[in-house]
Amino acid sequence: QVHLQQWGAGLLRPSETLSLTCAAYTGSFSVHDWGWIRQLPGKGLEWIGENNFSGYSNYNGALNSRVTISIDASENQFSLKMTSVTAADAGTYYCVRKAYGHAFDVWGQGTEVVVSS
Amino acid sequence: DIEMTQSPSSLSAYVGDRVTITCQASQDINNYLNWYHQKPGEAPKLLIYDASELEAGVPSRFSGSGSGRRFTFVISRLQPEDVGTYFCQQYDTVPSITFGQGTRLEIK
């Protein structure tokens, strides 16, 4: 059974960089795409982006310039970096595995991110 | 971006009831539509993919249908553990993947 465990700093000041990492406990890391989704208060779920073993990435156009998702296949881990955070970026961030089509079938436990000066 | 509109935004039903949630896309998305259930304090869980395919391990009381712009999600006999929020998600226009705003389901 695939399990995702995520961690990272949850309290940031405006303009800082959000950095989260997710470990995938699976024997088939290289055959899947891995990504991040966030849940903003009052705004629902928002897809952030994804990457895979081959380095093929896709990002939400609204966040593209601030987001990087990187893969460390040697550790079965993937990471999210989001620069220049503001209060509008506060919410819960989930790492996910992308399955058939673009269904997200495995989710991390979530990290609550607070942005405050 | 494709806008996904769910209705109703919230509902309350009795255990054993049939519950129906709809999701309308702002443009044709073929059958590129998934459904999720989120219990309070937990991550969302995939229930239905490609509009009508039941995810492995998901009870058969859940079903989905539709194509094009209008989609339906049904719980045939509501159980207490089904409370929470249900989301639809389209992936017709990658990388512009979008979710519906959610439908909150409570037990009467």
Side-chain angles (χ1 to χ4, degrees):
Chain A
Q1 186 175 357
V2 181
H3 175 67
L4 297 180
Q5 181 73 33
Q6 61 184 96
W7 65 91
L11 178 59
L12 298 168
R13 298 184 188 279
S15 80
E16 290 186 334
T17 296
L18 169 66
S19 182
L20 299 175
T21 299
C22 187
Y25 296 92
T26 173
S28 59
F29 183 81
S30 63
V31 302
H32 290 281
D33 290 6
W34 306 92
W36 296 87
I37 290 170
R38 67 182 184 177
Q39 189 163 28
L40 307 178
K43 293 191 68 177
L45 293 163
E46 182 176 50
W47 177 77
I48 298 172
E50 63 198 25
N51 203 341
N52 64 21
F53 179 75
S54 300
Y56 180 75
S57 61
N58 274 316
Y59 297 111
N60 184 322
L63 305 171
N64 197 1
S65 62
R66 297 195 294 130
V67 170
T68 302
I69 295 173
S70 56
I71 299 282
D72 183 348
S74 67
E75 297 286 341
N76 278 19
Q77 294 178 1
F78 57 105
S79 300
L80 168 70
K81 289 192 187 301
M82 179 182 292
T83 61
S84 305
V85 298
T86 70
D89 295 312
T92 302
Y93 286 69
Y94 294 99
C95 59
V96 295
R97 183 179 80 169
K98 191 194 81 173
Y100 8 85
H102 252 90
F104 304 107
D105 67 334
V106 184
W107 295 63
Q109 80 276 18
T111 299
E112 184 177 1
V113 172
V114 176
V115 181
S116 175
S117 56
Chain B
D1 287 355
I2 296 175
E3 188 172 330
M4 306 301 293
T5 304
Q6 288 182 233
S7 61
S9 57
S10 66
L11 75 145
S12 182
Y14 292 101
V15 171
D17 279 355
R18 179 183 178 89
V19 171
T20 301
I21 299 170
T22 63
C23 187
Q24 178 102 9
S26 59
Q27 64 188 64
D28 190 328
I29 58 170
N30 298 288
N31 68 330
Y32 300 145
L33 191 285
N34 306 317
W35 289 96
Y36 300 84
H37 174 216
Q38 184 176 33
K39 295 181 180 180
E42 297 184 8
K45 175 187 174 184
L46 176 66
L47 300 179
I48 302 284
Y49 64 94
D50 291 349
S52 60
E53 300 296 324
L54 194 67
E55 171 71 348
V58 173
S60 59
R61 65 179 182 275
F62 297 103
S63 64
S65 63
S67 65
R69 294 184 58 198
R70 186 173 175 84
F71 300 84
T72 301
F73 173 82
V74 173
I75 306 174
S76 60
R77 290 177 300 280
L78 184 64
Q79 298 300 303
E81 60 267 31
D82 299 338
V83 298
T85 304
Y86 291 82
F87 296 94
C88 60
Q89 171 237 325
Q90 69 79 23
Y91 64 96
D92 181 67
T93 55
V94 177
S96 298
I97 295 167
T98 51
F99 291 83
Q101 81 281 10
T103 296
R104 182 171 296 181
L105 174 60
E106 298 177 340
I107 299 288
K108 281 184 182 177

